[in-house]
Amino acid sequence: MSIKPWRWIATLTLTAVLAAGCSTASDTPNIRVGIVCGGIGLAALTIDEGGLPDGVQAQQVCFDSGSSAVQALAGGSIDAFVGSADHIVNNRAKGLDVKGYAVVSENPPYSLVSPASAPVARVADLAGKSVAVTAPGSLSDTELQRAAAEAGIPYKGLHVVAAGTGATMQATVEKGGAAAGMVSDPLLTTMVQSGEFTVTWKPSFRFIALTVIARSSWVDRHKPTMQAFLTAVRATRDRAQSDPTGTLATARKQAPALSPQALTAVLQATLDQAPAELTIDEGLYQDTTEVLVQVGQTQRDKIPSFSDSFDFSLVGHR
């Protein structure tokens, strides 16, 4: 049966329109960035400020823990994730082609807090008690393992519970669901300033706490997009360092409850924790992996090399 000429023309026209629409959508470079929300971070500040180069649009996707974000990264529902280096080490050992492309924090962010009405004097006092982390396998969990090791008590002797971040974490500790909890800023500052909580332990070791992680296969296909995003993150840091007051309005979106003085302090700490060029050397990587070995989170013979774990070519290497 022959096709009427007008139907053939209409079909071609519709196909051209649909193709043009699809082309327009795909021509706009986008990057979906997973972030453990509830804190003030360089990547979140960059996304909130907008104005990324080359027309790139970045979307923030919130997660309660790094482990759930890595699952999303592996499944392809996000393109990048801002998390700790242990996710790179452990997931490369499992065959996932993830790498770190910029480091935005060299300092572990979580501290252990407990209610002032029933303060925990030292980590050893938590043996046999419930302790809240954001999620098993997250950076907060890694820090708790290190805290237990420093105190000389077995991590398995703690009853570790997952409490997420923000209000749920605070409620878990406040209402007795845990004797103590791992908390990061700005919630940490808010809780301590209230006078209702006290700090039991805070980290004092070197660790690659936050790095922009992505699958290398995705980056290979979207190098201009990733480079534009990393360029914007670095520009946000440089701009905020020279004029932090200009970034305070954006930071307030992430921590509306903080006083101006506390917000300024938390923002400055966030900026200070990022290396100047968002890159690190192999020494810090070795310090980080040594912590992972000490707490039993990885085996020494399964640690990937520094060059396999990080690629700073898109952000610039010092």
Side-chain angles (χ1 to χ4, degrees):
M1 184 176 69
S2 62
I3 299 176
K4 299 291 185 181
W6 66 267
R7 289 184 180 176
W8 180 74
I9 295 172
T11 301
L12 283 180
T13 303
L14 178 59
T15 302
V17 170
L18 290 175
C22 292
S23 176
T24 300
S26 61
D27 283 349
T28 302
N30 297 292
I31 180 169
R32 301 162 297 175
V33 184
I35 294 175
V36 179
C37 295
I40 295 177
L42 270 180
L45 287 171
T46 301
I47 294 171
D48 284 346
E49 285 184 342
L52 274 67
D54 303 325
V56 170
Q57 296 179 7
Q59 174 190 358
Q60 176 176 301
V61 183
C62 285
F63 291 89
D64 287 333
S65 69
S67 53
S68 58
V70 169
Q71 291 177 6
L73 184 65
S77 58
I78 59 174
D79 306 313
F81 161 54
V82 183
S84 58
D86 53 298
H87 294 298
I88 299 174
V89 173
N90 295 329
N91 283 284
R92 285 198 68 85
K94 297 175 184 177
L96 188 64
D97 65 331
V98 292
K99 284 189 176 184
Y101 291 88
V103 174
V104 294
S105 177
E106 301 177 284
N107 301 90
Y110 293 93
S111 292
L112 194 61
V113 301
S114 59
S117 58
V120 178
R122 53 187 187 145
V123 176
D125 296 336
L126 291 169
K129 297 181 179 180
S130 294
V131 184
V133 298
T134 59
S138 63
L139 177 56
S140 63
D141 193 20
T142 300
E143 285 196 47
L144 179 59
Q145 293 177 55
R146 175 59 182 255
E150 289 180 2
I153 62 173
Y155 172 78
K156 293 183 178 179
L158 305 174
H159 298 299
V160 180
V161 298
T165 61
T168 57
M169 172 61 76
Q170 180 171 343
T172 298
V173 179
E174 192 171 30
K175 297 180 179 180
M182 299 297 291
V183 181
S184 63
D185 272 325
L187 181 61
L188 174 61
T189 295
T190 301
M191 291 175 69
V192 172
Q193 285 187 343
S194 72
E196 298 178 2
F197 301 90
T198 184
V199 176
T200 299
W201 173 89
K202 62 188 308 180
S204 59
F205 57 94
R206 300 180 75 208
F207 197 87
I208 305 170
L210 292 175
T211 180
V212 180
I213 303 170
R215 299 189 66 164
S216 54
S217 55
W218 183 89
V219 174
D220 288 342
R221 298 192 306 271
H222 303 88
K223 281 188 178 180
T225 300
M226 176 60 90
Q227 188 166 25
F229 178 66
L230 298 179
T231 298
V233 173
R234 184 166 172 177
T236 296
R237 181 195 182 279
D238 293 344
R239 185 168 55 252
Q241 280 283 32
S242 61
D243 180 23
T245 57
T247 311
L248 282 174
T250 305
R252 183 157 296 285
K253 296 178 183 178
Q254 300 176 29
L258 283 185
S259 66
Q261 295 81 2
L263 181 65
T264 300
V266 172
L267 174 60
Q268 191 59 57
T270 299
L271 300 175
D272 291 343
Q273 289 167 3
E277 298 178 14
L278 305 189
T279 66
I280 50 99
D281 57 26
E282 190 168 357
L284 181 56
Y285 180 66
Q286 291 174 347
D287 289 343
T288 299
T289 55
E290 188 61 32
V291 170
L292 297 178
V293 171
Q294 288 174 354
V295 301
Q297 200 174 113
T298 191
Q299 297 177 18
R300 197 177 300 278
D301 60 354
K302 292 185 177 181
I303 296 173
S305 68
F306 179 61
S307 59
D308 283 341
S309 300
F310 288 91
D311 177 2
F312 298 124
S313 62
L314 300 181
V315 72
H317 200 291
R318 58 187 169 190

